[in-house]
Every structure is written in structure tokens, then in C-alpha cells.
Amino acid sequence: YYLPRAILPHEILLPMETEDCEELSEVLTKRGGHKVWVHVPQRGEKSTLADMAVRNAQEEVRRATTAEEKTAYTLEALQKMLNLPQPPRRMESFDISNTGASDIVASMVVYQGAKPLKSAYRRFQIKELTGGHPDDYGSMREVLRRRLQRAADEDEKFLPLPDVFLIDGGVTHADAVREVAEQFDCTVPIFGMVKDDRHRTRALVTPEGKEIGIQGNQAIFSLIGQIQEETHRFAIEFHRQQQNQRVRGSVLDQIP
């Protein structure tokens, strides 16, 4: 592992004794151009670090040996974290993009398991807002109402309903969507995606305000972050298309 690397650590901790520690130290010292000490720590913080590495390796073996098993582990962990009846097979995520009261659009991104299902992505132009100013909550309510109405009308492009709705935003966004879901007797669990200062999803939140931290599980943190970024990207892409079409337009286009 270390021989082909240009930069080597000063110390390498092993979990068990080996006869080669001195020889390995000499070889890596020459390779690194500085003293590299390979040894088995006996006590203190370094021993704790070595034990932690062993536990991490054992946990990784238990988690998965293939991509399919890793996906299954992640979805099962998400099921337990969100108290779902089964691992989510289909998740739908929504985001709003706007620059003021015009060109307000929304995206619906679909994940089948842990992979994007791009054929099921949908875009919406917000039509019902009044008052001349953007309203993320009103926009989100409109989008979910139209999405659920299409499902109620048995539009195959909006079927089946997902196992989870993920809403870009906090508890107020999630609660706004919950109101619409209740109108359709829709019992799909709803979670807002709460971001940190670096615009990464750090937690999920229920419409009732219960926050569920996801940073303690790297697999879930990565998956939810990926879904949030993909939903945002898809919304921004559609928003830019709408802006470009509007900018290219002219009053001359209205002359018969």
C-alpha cells in the first residue's frame, strides 16, 4: 500500500505483532526520505486508534462485500432511522428554483433504491402564485398538489407513489407539503432536507419538527446529500432554460 506513494506518514500502527516491523521501517524510511516507524502500540491513545481501525474493518466486512449489498445495507439503515415499514424502494425529492416572481420552476427527482431513475424525473412551471413575489411554500404546495392529482387521475407518468417524499427545506416546507398530502389521503412519509452552512444536507426533519441527524452514518449522509444535490441541479437546469427562452424573446415575435 505505501511503497508506490510519494508521501509517507511518520508512524504506521499495526494491530498485531509481525517479525517484519524493523525491515518494513527501514524500507519505508528510505522510500519516504524520513524516519517511518512501523510498530504495534501497547497502550494509550495509539492503541485505541489501532483498535478502532480493527473495529472499522470488521464493521465494513459485516456491511457489504458487493455494491448490491452496500445498497441494501444503506436502505435498511435508512428504514430504521426514519421508522419506515420497509426499506424505501422509491424516493421522490422536490426543489424550487426562482429569480423573483417570474420563472419559478420546480423539479421532481426520483431515486429507485440508491440510483437516480432519470426517466421518471418531472419538471413543473409554477402557475398559481399571485402577489408578484416568490413563495417557496406556496410553490411547494402547488407542485405536490399537481403531482398527487396526476396520480389520482391514474397518469402512468406519476405512478407509483413513492415510499418517501424528500422536500428541499426545513420543517416549514415539510409541513406545507403535509397539508396537501392530507387532502389526498396520502400517507407517504414526508421529510424536509435541512442544510448546514456549506449547503450540505445535515439532517432530515418531520412535518412535526422532529429532526433526525444523518451525519453519523456515512452511507446515509452520502445518499441523501446526493439526492439533494441532484434535485437542486435538475431545478437549476430547468430554470436556466426558462430564462434563456424568455431572454431570447422579443416584442417583434408577437407581430403576426
Side-chain angles (χ1 to χ4, degrees), residues 7 13 42 86 89 106 121 185 188 213 215 229 235 240 247 249:
I7 300 175
L13 311 178
Q42 300 300 319
Q86 61 188 14
R89 294 185 297 268
Y121 285 16
D185 294 324
V188 174
Q215 292 175 312
E229 288 176 9
R240 286 173 179 160
V247 169

Side-chain angles (χ1 to χ4, degrees), residues 12-30:
I12 298 171
L13 311 178
L14 300 185
M16 63 189 71
E17 293 289 349
T18 169
E19 298 175 356
D20 303 324
C21 278
E22 279 192 38
E23 185 178 343
L24 288 170
S25 295
E26 291 177 7
V27 171
L28 294 176
T29 294
K30 291 178 181 177

Side-chain angles (χ1 to χ4, degrees), residues 98-109:
N98 66 71
T99 50
S102 62
D103 293 329
I104 304 176
V105 301
S107 64
M108 171 182 137
V109 160

Side-chain angles (χ1 to χ4, degrees), residues 73-92 163-167 187-194 201-208 210-215 217 220-221 223-224 227:
Y73 164 81
T74 301
L75 296 178
E76 287 171 8
L78 187 59
Q79 172 198 357
K80 293 176 183 176
M81 182 178 286
L82 302 183
N83 196 28
L84 303 175
Q86 61 188 14
R89 294 185 297 268
R90 178 184 173 109
M91 294 181 280
E92 290 181 7
D163 299 303
V164 173
F165 282 129
L166 298 173
I167 310 301
T187 58
V188 174
I190 297 165
F191 297 93
M193 294 184 289
V194 183
T201 304
R202 64 170 179 80
L204 298 175
V205 63
T206 68
E208 296 75 29
K210 179 185 177 184
E211 193 166 295
I212 303 166
I214 61 174
Q215 292 175 312
N217 186 307
I220 292 176
F221 180 67
L223 175 60
I224 298 299
I227 292 173

